[in-house]
Amino acid sequence: MQAEHHLEDGWLTQAFGPVSLDQLNAKAAMLERLDNKYVVRAAVLQQAMEGLVRHFDVLEIDGLRSFTYDTCYFDDEHLHCYLDHHQGRRKRCKVRVRHYTDAGLCFVEVKLKDRRGVTVKKRLKTQPDLYGLLDSAARDHIDSSYRHLYGDPFPLQLQRVMDMRYRRVTLVAREGGERMTIDGGIEFSSHGRIRRTDADVFVVETKSANANGLADRILRQLHQHPTNSCSKYCVGMAALDLAPRHNRFLPALRKLNALPLGAPMAPMPVREYPMNRVGSPA
């Protein structure tokens, strides 16, 4: 039987030197960047380690090198945010509230695309007990972020549609502003249903000024190429059978072994779970 590779086991992180959160924010906040996403197996990451260790350090906070992220996503009743991404529209927006569980921090985050195709992320700090909700300050932040980039008021009435949890490792290049995140143990949940990715599959995201950084070149040497249309929000919505169309995301869904339940391949496990007052797993 193949051994499972969990991020919290330290197999990926122990060879790297540490970098603090303050150092990361100073050199690689990367709120405006070009991204590439890859779906890779643990064996590939193990092969990439030799090259990555030469150029990157790992984020370490209070002795921890992998961190739990809880995220809830918002869309309108017609799923315009999802469908804009599915149709490849340049003018598109995603809205989420993210809880950095280990650090006890919570942010309302708005992700937009500018005319160059660069991802622009706008964050507003909020209280952890508001996780899952959009209060007036959050809605003002969403509207102002949208207006600033697109010149129009935010047009949608948002509601909470999906939750997600995963473990993340963050690598930071010693030179320049490049960053790389590695997400594993991904769970998507909504409406009493949960889907999990395989234990040895990871979503790797490289963030650089030109979308061709050190990490991209290391992965390319291992015959890894970006997985187009690999938004975790969109993949999760499709995997949970919440989206009317998902053709654009089929390559990512296949690599993650997360095809929708109605697809011909065997589905991932689904289980019921109790709901708290705002609809997330209790």
Side-chain angles (χ1 to χ4, degrees):
M1 180 180 292
Q2 185 178 10
E4 293 187 352
H5 297 272
H6 300 281
L7 289 180
E8 58 266 34
D9 294 338
W11 64 272
L12 175 63
T13 62
Q14 58 190 2
F16 290 90
V19 62
S20 70
L21 183 60
D22 288 342
Q23 289 171 319
L24 181 150
N25 289 333
K27 66 191 298 187
M30 300 299 290
L31 296 184
E32 297 189 16
R33 72 280 176 105
L34 290 172
D35 305 340
N36 282 321
K37 290 191 177 77
Y38 304 79
V39 178
V40 301
R41 295 282 169 171
V44 172
L45 287 178
Q46 288 177 317
Q47 292 179 64
M49 288 280 290
E50 182 179 351
L52 292 171
V53 166
R54 288 201 299 266
H55 301 286
F56 288 83
D57 293 319
V58 66
L59 175 64
E60 180 176 301
I61 303 175
D62 296 332
L64 296 176
R65 294 188 169 195
S66 68
F67 305 92
T68 298
Y69 285 41
D70 285 325
T71 308
C72 57
Y73 285 89
F74 296 82
D75 212 328
D76 72 349
E77 62 178 336
H78 302 294
L79 301 182
H80 277 108
C81 295
Y82 174 91
L83 292 172
D84 285 349
H85 200 294
H86 187 275
Q87 294 170 14
R89 289 179 175 165
R90 178 72 71 186
K91 183 178 178 181
R92 62 181 188 255
C93 176
K94 281 188 289 188
V95 176
R96 66 195 185 197
V97 176
R98 173 165 287 173
H99 184 203
Y100 298 81
T101 307
D102 300 287
L105 299 173
C106 197
F107 293 90
V108 180
E109 300 183 345
V110 184
K111 293 184 73 175
L112 310 133
K113 288 283 187 180
D114 72 8
R115 293 179 179 177
R116 302 166 294 166
V118 174
T119 299
V120 179
K121 183 167 72 174
K122 302 292 185 180
R123 301 201 306 176
L124 174 72
K125 190 173 183 180
T126 188
Q127 295 301 314
D129 61 0
L130 293 177
Y131 176 79
L133 304 173
L134 295 177
D135 62 7
S136 59
R139 294 180 185 278
D140 288 345
H141 171 68
I142 295 163
D143 185 68
S144 63
S145 299
Y146 193 90
R147 286 175 184 268
H148 183 263
L149 190 61
Y150 297 137
D152 298 315
F154 185 72
L156 306 179
Q157 294 294 319
L158 296 175
Q159 58 190 13
R160 183 176 181 173
V161 294
M162 191 190 79
D163 284 47
M164 180 171 59
R165 167 174 282 199
Y166 54 85
R167 298 283 291 181
R168 169 169 286 185
V169 166
T170 299
L171 304 181
V172 183
R174 296 190 192 102
E175 303 293 335
E178 185 178 345
R179 187 155 53 105
M180 175 180 179
T181 58
I182 303 167
D183 298 337
I186 304 170
E187 295 184 356
F188 308 109
S189 59
S190 183
H191 295 84
R193 177 183 296 172
I194 189 167
R195 305 282 308 274
R196 293 189 183 91
T197 58
D198 295 340
D200 74 330
V201 70
F202 300 89
V203 175
V204 172
E205 186 169 357
T206 63
K207 312 167 199 295
S208 63
N210 59 8
N212 186 29
L214 288 165
D216 296 288
R217 295 195 287 274
I218 290 168
L219 290 171
R220 199 159 53 237
Q221 290 171 358
L222 297 172
H223 310 291
Q224 302 299 306
H225 303 284
T227 303
N228 294 330
S229 300
C230 192
S231 157
K232 287 194 287 294
Y233 166 59
C234 295
V235 166
M237 290 290 286
L240 290 166
D241 276 329
L242 297 177
R245 298 188 293 278
H246 59 264
N247 288 349
R248 186 181 185 90
F249 309 116
L250 279 173
L253 288 162
R254 289 193 180 103
K255 286 187 175 183
L256 288 165
N257 190 26
L259 286 167
L261 296 175
M265 290 184 65
M268 299 168 67
V270 176
R271 67 173 174 84
E272 297 294 323
Y273 58 83
M275 309 294 285
N276 68 13
R277 65 183 178 88
V278 290
S280 64

